Amino acid sequence: MDKPPTEEKTREEVEAERKAKRAAKQERKKAALEKQRPEGLEIQKKSKDPSTESPIAADLVKVPKPKPDVPKAAAPKKPSTQKIETTKKVIKSNKNKENIIVKKAEEVKPIAKKANLVNLVKKSAGPVTHKVKLFNHLYIDSISLVTENKLKINSGKVHPAFIKLGVQMQTSVVAGSNARCLAFLYALKQTISDFVTPEHKHFSRSFEEHLGPAIDHLMACRPFSVSMNNAHKNIMSHIKRLPHNISDCHAKEALETVINNYIYVQIHMAGMAICIAAQNKIGKGDVILTYGYSSLIERILTDAHSNNKQFSVIVVDSAPWYEGRQLLHRLVRNNIQCTYVLLSATSFIMTRATKVLLGAHALLANGYVMGRAGSSQIALVAKHFNVPVLVCCETYKFTERVQTDSIVFNELGNENDVMPREQWLNNRYLTPLGLRYDVTTSDLITAVVTEIAILPCTSVPVVLRVRTN
């Protein structure tokens, strides 16, 4: 009896499946290569190819069919209809795979084009700017500010005195809270004296409009200090209170007297009162430690030496601006015995100090002291060695702002002052950062010497309320 037919695959079917798998792999490789090529080359290749047949069908035609192992006497068997149908199904499935791969490649092409455009824009924009993410809100777009300043200067809306002051502040020729405030008030006096009210307009309103571009120009050159903000608010309040029917001559005289009184009372007389109060705290043989440069501290020490007080000074300084050298030269010129050290040697030199005198950029409403970067470290080391810390500050530097750290609000210096540009510009792993100010907590400060009295740090809100009344 004949054996029943088995469902095992013949050699032809197995080889057809293998060929189909190889063809699918080749199509995947071609699709991956087409992703990297531009569209123009693909169109040219398609136009040049004469054959539109699929590679699977071509391979099937070219490959000779293997002869089955059959005895010579027996006749060759014809392939069954089921085997032919299975091969057709395999070919159709491979064609569908080819169409899907081509569609996906066409979808990827516009995405690759966009990525290439973005890379080209990045390359054309030049080198990536170095920024610290934590202080990203403090960086200013210098290119746009320069163009805006040029437009304002060329339009003639900014007075030459403010243009000069902007250059001096940007190049640190005028530095320090008192110096910047005085320079701002003198530039304001020149602007008032040269101002002419337009016809059919009031002096106060037209002068406010005239002063706006000048203030914006100064803010673009360098942000205002707290002393400059307070002086600007005070002068503007007097300008708004001027009567409408006042003449230009009387208005200018009134504003000049207001500015002169502000300079004399809030800066000069306040500094004199602080000098008298601080000198009473300097005893014979004291070793006074100070940090950086402060015009008020210099005045206190020189006046105390002229009053025959015997003391010595330790000047602590730090990079990148080394402002303490200026204080050192002026004290040595007045024959005051000095020692000069860097900030890294503070813990070593603090054992010799008996008092610490610090200047301040501003006193905040929560009792914290904002000073040049490094002041908080001096106060912290002095607290550890039980050395009293006195902060000398005029009341016109008190502000209603509250700040608990040096991150939210600060000012960035020039990166080239920290290190040369050649060392960090081409190094993407190195970013220089020069913070100008830091915040010292109230528990590290013994007292604040003001023109009113020697007060604790927590009395700032009381002083602000009394001044407004």
Side-chain angles (χ1 to χ4, degrees), residues 263-275 299 394 451:
I263 292 170
Y264 181 71
V265 174
Q266 300 292 337
I267 300 175
H268 292 303
M269 291 298 293
M272 191 180 296
I274 290 169
C275 284
R299 188 175 176 183
E394 301 91 340
E451 66 268 24

Side-chain angles (χ1 to χ4, degrees), residues 316-350:
V316 183
D317 204 1
S318 67
W321 297 289
Y322 295 105
E323 295 173 341
R325 293 176 183 177
Q326 187 178 357
L327 178 64
L328 181 69
H329 290 312
R330 297 190 179 189
L331 294 178
V332 170
R333 197 181 300 159
N334 290 314
N335 299 322
I336 298 174
Q337 186 180 356
C338 297
T339 304
Y340 180 80
V341 296
L342 293 177
L343 187 62
S344 55
T346 307
S347 57
F348 168 73
I349 206 74
M350 191 63 74

Side-chain angles (χ1 to χ4, degrees), residues 268-335:
H268 292 303
M269 291 298 293
M272 191 180 296
I274 290 169
C275 284
I276 293 167
Q279 284 177 33
N280 295 329
K281 298 295 178 182
I282 298 174
K284 185 178 179 182
D286 273 345
V287 179
I288 297 167
L289 187 141
T290 185
Y291 175 66
Y293 176 76
S294 173
S295 58
L296 187 58
I297 299 297
E298 180 199 347
R299 188 175 176 183
I300 291 167
L301 296 175
T302 51
D303 287 354
H305 182 71
S306 60
N307 292 331
N308 297 322
K309 295 224 172 181
Q310 297 178 0
F311 62 92
S312 60
V313 180
I314 299 171
V315 180
V316 183
D317 204 1
S318 67
W321 297 289
Y322 295 105
E323 295 173 341
R325 293 176 183 177
Q326 187 178 357
L327 178 64
L328 181 69
H329 290 312
R330 297 190 179 189
L331 294 178
V332 170
R333 197 181 300 159
N334 290 314
N335 299 322

